[in-house]
């Protein structure tokens, strides 16, 4: 089975791109599975079911979505293999821009949209920087200049990335993305593979349920801002 | 310059020197929040005072920053080149909606303007889409696109990263809150244009010439009228975009000099495809592709007789424009306003 990991900010068009990609891939829908990692709620499972794709959704809830991803992706792969999929797609919404649910040796795709502003690529961290392929959506409603500057700014943070423009509504660009993904490698499991980037470190008192504000309540990994006096 | 040369430069040269030569490098440091380092020092020395922790937040250490800086220099060190330049684009025919074959093949060359006509829903946008994605028999029409008479390998298709084609349509908007000058400046710096100031001015003047109502360099792009936006987009595509092929989907009624607009694009060594119902635009083109039921049914070369009609059509167009202006200004319309130019 092939595993492809998708990440991207909320509402950037990940689900639409994946659905158009599945249509363009020329495989039977029953040979494809999707595992969706989300935070609190998601309605995307309905969209996958509508096109006949099997989907499992997991909610990280109060946990960091990246920690949640890495502790569940192995089981997701086992589920995929048992279900007889040829391709398993993982989709996760990166909320803090530091998210990078990418694994070394596993093809990774970051989806970002043109409407998020031309400088956004420069502000997104590992989620964009560590991706093999960057899919840009919503290019049909901004000016050519903004599209070009956006792509340029992606190159600034990820010089090696392949940029593909995909229209999530019409599917324009999806066949090219499908061709790209053909090269994804076959796997039988993920045991001992490594993430491309450390997940956000967070073992502090707030992780364990502390709610009060004040230095005396703070323990563990903390980072303090510096406020300069004039 | 080779990778080794860049490495040598990154190790030995003070940062301010590198930045003077390649201003875009300033962005590299901004992206990593390294704006307070001493730019009088070479990179590694400048990084000496930086805490490893700050860099590790980006998943980097000092050695990796050096490597990434070299890659950055290699990627952006070269001045905007015209490697995307092409001479011709060939459409190898596929089939219409009911499977009937269309024209076998047809080639457009640089500097040509080609209009695409046909009833709504016939497949004009599909043809534009096929050109945009450089179809390889993998779209519903089965068409193939060749560049300079040759098939495009998948590798090259990936490499082009959408840079071959620039697009313009009624649905496109400016979404960022910048002045015209900042907007053009930003685009120019992403193209690594050497003579940015000059290009910005040329672009601005051209846009103002195309737009009926004038605007200023410090007008916000989001405050431009529909016509002004379209004019700026066209001028920007002509002067700043590297893409040798321009696809235009319906720009009529935008209150700009449409004929001149597409001429400007064609003069900039581009191949211009324009999907339109506007007689003035359709006949201003050198050729027009007729779409019927999804397929290309014929290609008509604009005849001398048709070109001869342009003057009369322009008059009709001017009449409509005059009527619109009258209505806008709260005037009443009479047969005299319809007929006479002396009314103006």
């Amino acid at each position: 089975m092939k595993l492809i990991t998708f990440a991207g900010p909320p509402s950037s068009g990940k689900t639409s791109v994946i659905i158009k990609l599945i249509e363009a891939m020329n495989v039977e829908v029953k040979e494809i599975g999707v595992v969706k990692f989300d935070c609190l709620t998601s309605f995307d499972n309905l969209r996958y079911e509508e096109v006949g794709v099997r989907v499992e959704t997991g909610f990280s809830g109060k946990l960091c979505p990246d920690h949640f991803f890495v502790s569940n992706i192995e089981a997701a792969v086992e589920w995929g293999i048992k279900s007889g999929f040829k391709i398993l797609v993982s989709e996760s919404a990166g909320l803090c821009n530091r998210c990078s649910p990418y694994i070394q040796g596993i093809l990774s795709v970051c989806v970002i949209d043109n409407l998020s502003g031309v400088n956004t690529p420069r502000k997104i961290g590992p989620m964009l920087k560590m991706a093999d392929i960057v899919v840009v959506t919503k290019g049909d409603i901004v000016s050519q200049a903004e599209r070009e500057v956006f792509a340029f700014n992606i190159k600034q943070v990820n010089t090696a990335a392949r940029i593909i423009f995909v229209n999530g509504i019409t599917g324009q660009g999806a066949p090219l993305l499908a061709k790209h993904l053909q090269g994804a490698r076959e796997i039988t499991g993920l045991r001992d593979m490594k993430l491309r980037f450390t997940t956000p470190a967070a073992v502090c008192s707030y992780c364990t349920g502390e709610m009060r504000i004040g230095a005396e309540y703070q323990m563990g990994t903390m980072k303090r801002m510096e406020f300069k006096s004039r | 310059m080779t990778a080794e040369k860049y490495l040598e430069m990154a190790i030995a040269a003070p940062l301010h020197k590198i930045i003077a030569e390649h201003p875009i490098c300033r962005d590299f440091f901004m992206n990593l929040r390294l704006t307070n380092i001493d730019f009088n020092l070479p990179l590694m020395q400048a990084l000496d005072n930086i805490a490893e922790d700050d860099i590790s937040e980006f998943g980097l250490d000092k050695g990796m920053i050096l490597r990434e800086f070299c890659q950055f220099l290699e990627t952006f060190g070269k001045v905007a080149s015209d490697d995307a330049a092409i001479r011709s684009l060939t459409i190898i025919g596929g089939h219409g909606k009911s499977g009937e074959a269309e024209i076998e093949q047809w080639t457009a060359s640089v500097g040509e303007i080609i209009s695409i006509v046909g009833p709504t829903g016939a497949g004009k946008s599909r043809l534009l889409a096929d050109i945009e994605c450089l179809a390889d028999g993998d779209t519903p029409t089965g068409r193939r696109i060749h560049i300079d008479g040759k098939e495009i390998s998948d590798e090259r298709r990936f490499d082009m990263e959408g840079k071959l084609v620039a697009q313009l349509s009624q649905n496109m908007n400016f979404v960022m809150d910048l002045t015209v000058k900042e907007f053009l400046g930003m685009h120019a710096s992403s193209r690594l244009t050497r003579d940015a100031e000059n290009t910005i001015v040329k672009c601005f003047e051209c846009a103002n010439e195309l737009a009926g109502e004038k605007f200023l360099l410090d007008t916000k792009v989001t405050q431009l009228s529909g016509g002004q936006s379209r004019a700026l987009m066209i001028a920007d595509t002509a002067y700043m975009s590297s893409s040798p092929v321009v696809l235009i989907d319906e720009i009529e009624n935008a209150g700009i000099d449409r004929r001149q607009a597409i001429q400007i694009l064609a003069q900039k060594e581009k191949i211009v495809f324009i999907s339109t119902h506007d007689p003035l635009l359709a006949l201003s083109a050198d050729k027009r592709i007729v779409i019927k039921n999804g397929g290309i049914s014929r290609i008509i070369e604009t005849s001398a007789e048709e070109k001869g009609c342009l003057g009369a059509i322009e008059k009709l167009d001017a009449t409509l424009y005059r009527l619109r202006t009258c209505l806008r200004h709260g005037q009443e319309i009479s047969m005299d306003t319809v007929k006479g130019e002396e009314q103006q």
Side-chain angles (χ1 to χ4, degrees), chain A residues 98 114-115 117-119 122 125-126 129-130 139-149 151-153 155-157 159-165 170 172-173 175-177 179-180 197-198 223, chain B residues 24 27 30-31 57-60 68 71-72 75-76 126 129 132-133 136 138 154-155 157-159 161 165-167 171-176 183 186-187 189-192 233 236-237 241 243:
Chain A
R98 198 186 180 280
N114 265 132
L115 281 183
V118 283
N119 278 321
R122 294 174 57 194
K129 188 176 161 52
M130 303 280 170
D140 55 327
I141 40 183
V142 303
S143 65
Q144 178 69 24
E146 283 159 290
R147 274 192 299 281
E148 289 180 15
V149 177
F152 176 79
N153 285 340
K155 279 276 169 191
Q156 279 204 5
V157 285
T159 47
R162 298 287 200 153
I163 301 171
I164 301 178
F165 288 87
T170 63
Q172 188 79 358
L176 191 62
L177 178 62
K179 265 188 197 166
H180 240 319
F197 194 66
T198 55
K223 187 184 174 193
Chain B
I24 196 68
D27 285 6
M30 280 170 72
N31 294 345
E57 284 182 6
F58 293 94
L60 298 170
E68 298 223 339
Q71 271 168 7
F72 191 93
T75 310
F76 301 111
R126 182 71 250 175
E132 196 250 325
C133 71
D136 186 26
D138 50 3
D154 282 346
E155 197 50 37
R157 210 175 256 117
F158 297 146
D159 277 343
E161 299 189 314
V165 170
Q167 291 191 86
N171 303 329
M172 285 173 188
N173 294 294
F174 294 118
V175 290
M176 57 189 152
F183 174 81
M186 187 192 68
H187 195 188
S189 69
S190 85
R191 288 294 327 281
L192 309 171
M233 283 184 197
D236 171 84
T237 303
S241 173
S243 308

Side-chain angles (χ1 to χ4, degrees), chain B residues 35 65 71 110 119 153 155-156 163 172 311 323 327 338 343:
Chain B
T35 42
I65 290 192
Q71 271 168 7
V110 157
S153 67
E155 197 50 37
R156 178 144 185 240
K163 282 185 211 124
M172 285 173 188
L323 292 172
L327 287 169
V338 177
Q343 296 284 318

Side-chain angles (χ1 to χ4, degrees), chain A residues 46-57:
Chain A
L46 301 175
R47 299 190 53 202
Y48 285 117
E49 280 158 14
E50 224 169 75
V51 290
V53 172
R54 272 188 69 191
V55 57
E56 283 287 341
T57 312

Side-chain angles (χ1 to χ4, degrees), chain A residues 21-36:
Chain A
L21 172 72
I22 291 171
E23 285 170 14
M25 273 201 297
N26 217 2
V27 268
E28 282 188 54
V29 276
K30 64 169 197 274
E31 295 173 331
I32 298 182
V34 173
V35 52
K36 165 100 193 176

Side-chain angles (χ1 to χ4, degrees), chain B residues 94-133:
Chain B
H95 47 77
K97 284 177 187 169
S98 336
E100 69 282 13
E102 57 178 7
I103 51 126
E104 271 179 30
Q105 73 169 62
W106 177 77
T107 300
S109 309
V110 157
E112 270 189 317
I113 303 167
I114 302 104
S115 59
I116 303 171
V117 297
T120 305
K124 300 195 291 296
S125 297
R126 182 71 250 175
L127 176 58
L128 290 180
D130 282 345
I131 297 171
E132 196 250 325
C133 71

